[in-house]
Amino acid sequence: MLAIKMHFLPFLLAACYMTSLANATEQSVLRSLDVAPVIHFAITRRDGAFTGTVAGKDWVDLDYLVKQVEVAECRFNLTKRVVRGNKLVRKAKTDGAGGKDRTGLMGDIASRGTWYAKINIGKPPQEIEMDLNMLSSDFYVVKTSSQNGNSYDDFFSSSITKSPERPFPTCTLPNDEFYLPTLNTSVSLSFAYCRPQRFTRKTLGASGSILGLAASKHLAQTRSGSLIAQLVQNKVIERPVFSLMLINGRQGVLSIGGTGAPAVDLVVKQTKDQLDQIGAWERGETLLPSTGEDPVREGAPLTKRGRSHTEIIETRQASWKDGWEWSTVQGAEGWWQILMQGVWVDDSKVLQNQAVVVDINCPFILAPPLAAKAFYASISGSRPLPAPYSNFYVFPCLNPPVIQFEFGSNMARFLAMHGGRGADWSGEPGGRFSLGRLNNGSGYCVGSVVETRMGIREERDEMMGGTRNELRTSVQRGGMGGNGMRDVWVIGEGFFRGVGAAFDVSVYFYLMKEDAWLISIQLHEQKVGFRTY
């Protein structure tokens, strides 16, 4: 019996861990185990988990995948690089190829495949969906004449305080009550409330909200404060930090003010304790009786009851940064761009020192051309597909590689994806590294690392679309050719299966001091942290 129990221990841990987190997510409640208050939002992927296969089959729809790559690349073409002072920053395009018009904000409301969180605004509460956007720093709510999406109407809120300010041509700047999960409290926050002009097609779009999570204020198109900055200013949270954790392809947790790591550690610990008790019972050993106390009540340490003694675990006293591998944000200021020290394929380091941008809404892992070619050259039997699908590579389904990405000052390796029998509970061919079989009955699978040429393509289009004088004028105005993605990876949703990410935005938030707005000084560098769950 003991041998059987130990054999199934990893599966029991995983099952209990996922079940506990899923239940907490469905109830939109995760109890914070940290000293500082943390707000936990349940997040959901619109239209369910991403799949590139034909409905009900295990082979891919290549035409659909090509369109999804184009959609993902277009999101990175909405900004330009400009010089501000002594640094290079990203700003939203206002016109030109790939940009928006002057009355448009970055981000499409209620777009398919977007991760979103729900929040209640006003009295009586009106529930809306906040789309997470890691490439923008704006926080705004849109009300259209369409019935699509989730609508917030200021007319029906008795708690709203209107303002004559206009942070954007089509937006006002009211204050209203926001009801925060986990903390079970409400706080008055300002936000850009936008109504598209009636004669434009934007008024036929969906209603909803955008929660910008980008690293820089330069990407803000409105003059309203970000959500995290206002929560810090109102002393709702103490740390301008947020973290992301995906439970599966459909559900996850967004934590603001801290991370969800303590909750995960508690679930794992409690599961192990119960399995230890089962083992002790099988051996006929005496257990200390349970007192029925709540181990996560405010100020209480966690207690592990062993066979002969009680061990006190001061979980609350541990630093929230412990257990994370941190990388400093670099490159043009704006996105969460960091350095990936290495890419490992089957325990061999095939690439090193690669710039990456983190974006949870990208369903792929995008690699620049040279990196993609070197990456797949290290996988036995892999080859690129012919045009028009040359962005994709295939590999033998029965010989999938183990892929690891290396991050942090300690050069920790994180399992990005793997294959083989039993690698994925659904039994998909090729495991997590595969998007599906190449076609019906094929022994080749399409890899989820996709080649992208968006940086090269934009620079080419600029050279073909204007004269030398026009390009020189653009540079003199402070513009930089291309979108800066020429040699940059995009770490998308696939990497977050079993890996959590934390984002420290401490540098560029606002402080209130003596009734005047002051920009905080740079106390330390912005960072991105990863850890395995």
Side-chain angles (χ1 to χ4, degrees):
M1 176 67 73
L2 181 59
I4 295 176
K5 181 180 79 72
M6 294 305 296
H7 176 72
F8 285 102
L9 176 60
F11 301 98
L12 290 172
L13 286 174
C16 295
Y17 160 58
M18 290 300 181
T19 302
S20 301
L21 285 181
N23 292 336
T25 301
E26 291 174 0
Q27 301 170 3
S28 297
V29 174
L30 282 176
R31 301 186 62 183
S32 174
L33 304 178
D34 210 348
V35 175
V38 182
I39 307 169
H40 299 287
F41 291 93
I43 60 176
T44 307
R45 191 180 192 276
R46 192 171 284 110
D47 295 333
F50 175 79
T51 176
T53 58
V54 177
K57 308 298 181 181
D58 64 353
W59 62 88
V60 298
D61 183 346
L62 287 173
D63 292 326
Y64 173 76
L65 290 177
V66 168
K67 292 180 181 178
Q68 293 305 305
V69 171
E70 292 176 353
V71 170
E73 292 178 342
C74 285
R75 298 179 60 248
F76 292 88
N77 287 331
L78 300 179
T79 62
K80 60 183 178 182
R81 296 178 297 165
V82 298
V83 177
R84 288 291 181 268
N86 62 346
K87 56 187 176 182
L88 190 64
V89 303
R90 294 187 182 275
K91 291 184 67 69
K93 292 179 180 177
T94 54
D95 50 23
K100 294 281 188 177
D101 59 65
R102 294 185 182 276
T103 61
L105 291 166
M106 284 194 299
D108 294 325
I109 301 293
S111 59
R112 301 184 61 181
T114 303
W115 288 87
Y116 68 90
K118 294 183 178 180
I119 194 169
N120 290 314
I121 308 177
K123 292 182 181 179
Q126 302 178 52
E127 185 180 74
I128 64 169
E129 296 175 352
M130 299 187 301
D131 291 2
L132 309 187
N133 191 332
M134 302 189 69
L135 307 182
S136 170
S137 56
D138 281 309
F139 172 50
Y140 62 89
V141 177
V142 174
K143 172 72 170 92
T144 68
S145 58
S146 169
Q147 299 300 316
N148 298 326
N150 295 84
S151 176
Y152 162 80
D153 197 327
D154 59 342
F155 179 80
F156 297 106
S157 177
S158 61
S159 57
I160 191 171
T161 303
K162 296 186 178 181
S163 168
E165 293 186 52
R166 286 197 169 272
F168 199 72
T170 57
C171 307
T172 58
L173 192 63
N175 282 65
D176 210 340
E177 292 291 319
F178 284 72
Y179 297 87
L180 306 177
T182 307
L183 301 184
N184 296 323
T185 186
S186 65
V187 60
S188 179
L189 301 175
S190 65
F191 59 98
Y193 182 55
C194 308
R195 288 178 177 267
Q197 297 173 346
R198 294 183 182 273
F199 58 84
T200 65
R201 64 179 182 178
K202 292 184 177 65
T203 193
L204 302 177
S207 299
S209 175
I210 292 289
L211 175 58
L213 298 173
S216 172
K217 66 182 186 303
H218 292 288
L219 281 172
Q221 295 175 270
T222 68
R223 297 189 300 273
S224 59
S226 70
L227 176 64
I228 296 178
Q230 293 189 69
L231 292 175
V232 173
Q233 173 204 335
N234 286 278
K235 299 181 179 180
V236 178
I237 60 175
E238 296 178 6
R239 298 184 292 257
V241 175
F242 72 93
S243 70
L244 292 166
M245 176 182 62
L246 300 188
I247 299 173
N248 49 44
R250 300 174 301 276
Q251 297 174 310
V253 178
L254 166 67
S255 304
I256 297 180
T259 72
V264 175
D265 292 340
L266 175 64
V267 171
V268 174
K269 175 188 176 301
Q270 289 178 340
T271 303
K272 289 182 177 179
D273 286 350
Q274 292 183 11
L275 291 175
D276 289 343
Q277 291 179 358
I278 293 175
W281 176 78
E282 291 175 348
R283 293 189 295 270
E285 300 178 3
T286 303
L287 299 176
L288 291 177
S290 174
T291 62
E293 295 180 354
D294 184 1
V296 294
R297 69 181 186 275
E298 184 66 28
L302 298 180
T303 303
K304 177 180 178 182
R305 293 175 174 83
R307 296 186 294 272
S308 59
H309 66 281
T310 299
E311 179 183 355
I312 305 298
I313 304 178
E314 297 291 349
T315 301
R316 294 176 177 272
Q317 302 304 319
S319 171
W320 67 274
K321 292 187 177 182
D322 291 348
W324 297 83
E325 293 294 334
W326 294 95
S327 300
T328 302
V329 174
Q330 55 185 236
E333 182 184 307
W335 297 334
W336 294 103
Q337 180 175 328
I338 57 176
L339 182 68
M340 177 168 60
Q341 280 90 346
V343 177
W344 294 73
V345 177
D346 292 332
D347 291 328
S348 296
K349 192 171 187 177
V350 298
L351 290 167
Q352 62 181 355
N353 297 333
Q354 302 288 304
V356 301
V357 172
V358 182
D359 180 23
I360 193 176
N361 285 316
C362 180
F364 309 100
I365 293 179
L366 301 179
L370 293 179
K373 289 178 174 59
F375 172 80
Y376 278 103
S378 63
I379 300 175
S380 177
S382 64
R383 57 180 173 83
L385 293 178
Y389 312 118
S390 55
N391 294 66
F392 298 91
Y393 289 73
V394 294
F395 66 94
C397 296
L398 297 180
N399 187 31
V402 176
I403 312 299
Q404 293 174 310
F405 292 159
E406 185 179 302
F407 291 103
S409 57
N410 296 324
M411 296 187 178
R413 285 190 274 173
F414 295 90
L415 186 64
M417 56 198 76
H418 57 88
R421 295 183 179 180
D424 192 286
W425 68 271
S426 63
E428 295 179 358
R432 288 172 51 191
F433 182 55
S434 169
L435 295 172
R437 294 186 188 274
L438 178 58
N439 46 52
N440 187 15
S442 174
Y444 282 91
C445 291
V446 180
S448 58
V449 174
V450 180
E451 181 180 328
T452 176
R453 308 177 184 111
M454 54 182 162
I456 300 173
R457 184 184 301 123
E458 189 182 49
E459 292 178 5
R460 179 201 64 194
D461 293 344
E462 288 185 1
M463 292 299 295
M464 295 176 62
T467 65
R468 185 182 301 274
N469 291 334
E470 289 174 349
L471 292 174
R472 184 181 297 114
T473 303
S474 173
V475 174
Q476 289 173 351
R477 288 198 304 265
M480 304 296 292
N483 60 4
M485 296 295 291
R486 183 184 179 95
D487 297 310
V488 181
W489 291 59
V490 177
I491 300 298
E493 174 189 327
F495 176 67
F496 290 91
R497 308 293 170 79
V499 177
F503 304 84
D504 188 351
V505 294
S506 299
V507 179
Y508 297 109
F509 70 97
Y510 292 93
L511 296 176
M512 178 69 81
K513 182 178 181 181
E514 297 178 356
D515 298 327
W517 284 104
L518 296 176
I519 299 178
S520 63
I521 61 174
Q522 183 169 341
L523 301 178
H524 56 83
E525 297 173 304
Q526 292 178 316
K527 294 184 178 181
V528 178
F530 296 111
R531 64 162 285 173
T532 302
Y533 284 116

